[in-house]
Amino acid sequence: MMARPEKFIDESGRRVDGRLPNELRPIKMQVGLLKNANGSALVEYGLTKVIAAIYGPRESQKSVSLPDRASLRVRYHMAPFSTEERKNPVPTRREIELSKVLRESLEPIVMTNYFPRTTIDVFVEVLQSDGGTRTVAATAASLALADAGIPIKALFGGVAVGKVDGVLVVDINEVEDMYGDADMPIVAAPDLNLVTLYQLNGVLSKDEFQEAFDIAMNAITGIVNMEKETLKSSYQVENKEGDLEK
Ligand code: ADP
């Protein structure tokens, strides 16, 4: 297990990985990388890497068929090689709960009413974990749904704000999460002014909460802008390779 650092913020105001308090990890996004899924995305925040893949909408089995909308299913799973020690591949209670929490964060945004009696499956596979996997998963799910062409009310994304050595820090990594004083993951769709996942592990004062919330919403707005750029450039590549010149 990782050791607790002596200090989370050094004399120059930098964090354990050299970032400033308001600095995100380097973010990478890629869509459409899986041939056999209807939509897919790979998102990295620093060392945390998550892939999301969409199957559907396809006709539901009778037992889960809903007459007025699609049933949305989410499976969050950590690959056995994603953690420092091999993780048992069998879903843990944490993974089952996170699957539910993520499903609830997608439900207000996905326009399931367009596809009655069908099932939309969202598979989230954590390939490498260094904190913040649920928020990276939300960003990957947003891109994968868009890549699948499933109507969503707006793009959404996630980030976790934490508190270490009394300082609010954005996009916490595993060691800041594990030994810090607070961990506040948020998923939101800034264009709808809508928060669909809010959790707080630890204690924040009212003022700290307000500041942490503003930090998170700012970060998510930037992340969603990156999603838009990623999707736009994926369409440009398609156009180039397609037969549009004819
Ligand atoms: P999140 O990944 O959304 O921050 P947690 O706060 O539950 O969710 O977990 C924080 C971090 O702890 C994870 O990102 C991961 O790096 C690590 N972690 C969680 N579960 C395990 C596990 N079973 N084995 C090893 N590391 C884990």
Side-chain angles (χ1 to χ4, degrees):
M1 207 168 85
M2 288 181 196
R4 188 186 205 286
E6 223 164 273
K7 276 198 241 165
F8 282 101
I9 308 277
D10 69 12
E11 297 73 26
S12 62
R14 292 195 177 266
R15 294 153 67 178
V16 280
D17 56 8
R19 282 184 289 158
L20 293 168
N22 62 357
E23 199 177 331
L24 297 166
R25 290 177 280 187
I27 296 180
K28 288 189 197 161
M29 298 177 179
Q30 195 188 335
V31 291
L33 64 153
L34 301 179
K35 166 172 87 69
N36 296 330
N38 296 108
S40 55
L42 171 65
V43 176
E44 305 175 27
Y45 292 12
L47 296 176
T48 294
K49 299 186 189 202
V50 177
I51 204 162
I54 311 291
Y55 274 99
R58 29 191 196 120
E59 193 176 339
S60 290
Q61 287 177 318
K62 271 226 173 73
S63 57
V64 293
S65 178
L66 300 172
D68 59 339
R69 66 196 142 97
S71 25
L72 190 61
R73 300 196 296 198
V74 175
R75 187 189 74 154
Y76 165 101
H77 183 251
M78 281 179 131
F81 50 80
S82 66
T83 52
E84 229 163 290
E85 308 232 325
R86 177 184 177 277
K87 191 207 145 273
N88 188 326
V90 175
T92 57
R93 281 167 61 178
R94 173 181 172 275
E95 286 166 297
I96 293 165
E97 186 188 345
L98 272 181
S99 299
K100 171 182 181 281
V101 164
L102 280 169
R103 173 170 52 75
E104 288 171 350
S105 79
L106 305 190
E107 263 166 356
I109 299 178
V110 180
M111 300 174 80
T112 51
N113 54 313
Y114 280 25
F115 307 104
R117 298 182 197 282
T118 69
T119 299
I120 299 170
D121 275 310
V122 181
F123 292 102
V124 168
E125 192 70 19
V126 177
L127 303 178
Q128 187 165 282
S129 85
D130 186 36
T133 62
R134 77 195 63 200
T135 54
V136 183
T139 302
S142 171
L143 280 169
L145 284 163
D147 183 53
I150 292 174
I152 50 178
K153 292 176 189 160
L155 291 166
F156 55 97
V159 82
V161 175
K163 186 172 125 180
V164 293
D165 291 351
V167 179
L168 294 174
V169 289
V170 75
D171 187 24
I172 51 174
N173 60 27
E174 181 169 330
V175 71
E176 290 172 328
D177 180 350
M178 200 183 288
Y179 300 110
D181 303 324
D183 165 26
M184 187 177 91
I186 291 188
V187 175
D191 294 338
L192 301 173
N193 216 359
L194 179 70
V195 172
T196 62
L197 180 154
Y198 174 82
Q199 296 179 295
L200 174 59
N201 188 0
V203 178
L204 294 177
S205 72
K206 205 174 158 193
D207 287 348
E208 281 171 342
F209 159 76
Q210 193 54 57
E211 196 188 335
F213 186 80
D214 292 345
I215 291 170
M217 290 308 281
N218 260 331
I220 292 171
T221 302
I223 287 164
V224 166
N225 283 339
M226 269 188 84
E227 289 181 35
K228 290 175 185 170
E229 291 308 314
T230 303
L231 289 165
K232 266 191 225 160
S233 36
S234 81
Y235 296 135
Q236 274 159 9
V237 171
E238 268 174 36
N239 283 347
K240 234 182 266 164
E241 288 171 357
D243 49 7
L244 288 179
E245 299 105 319
K246 273 196 246 167

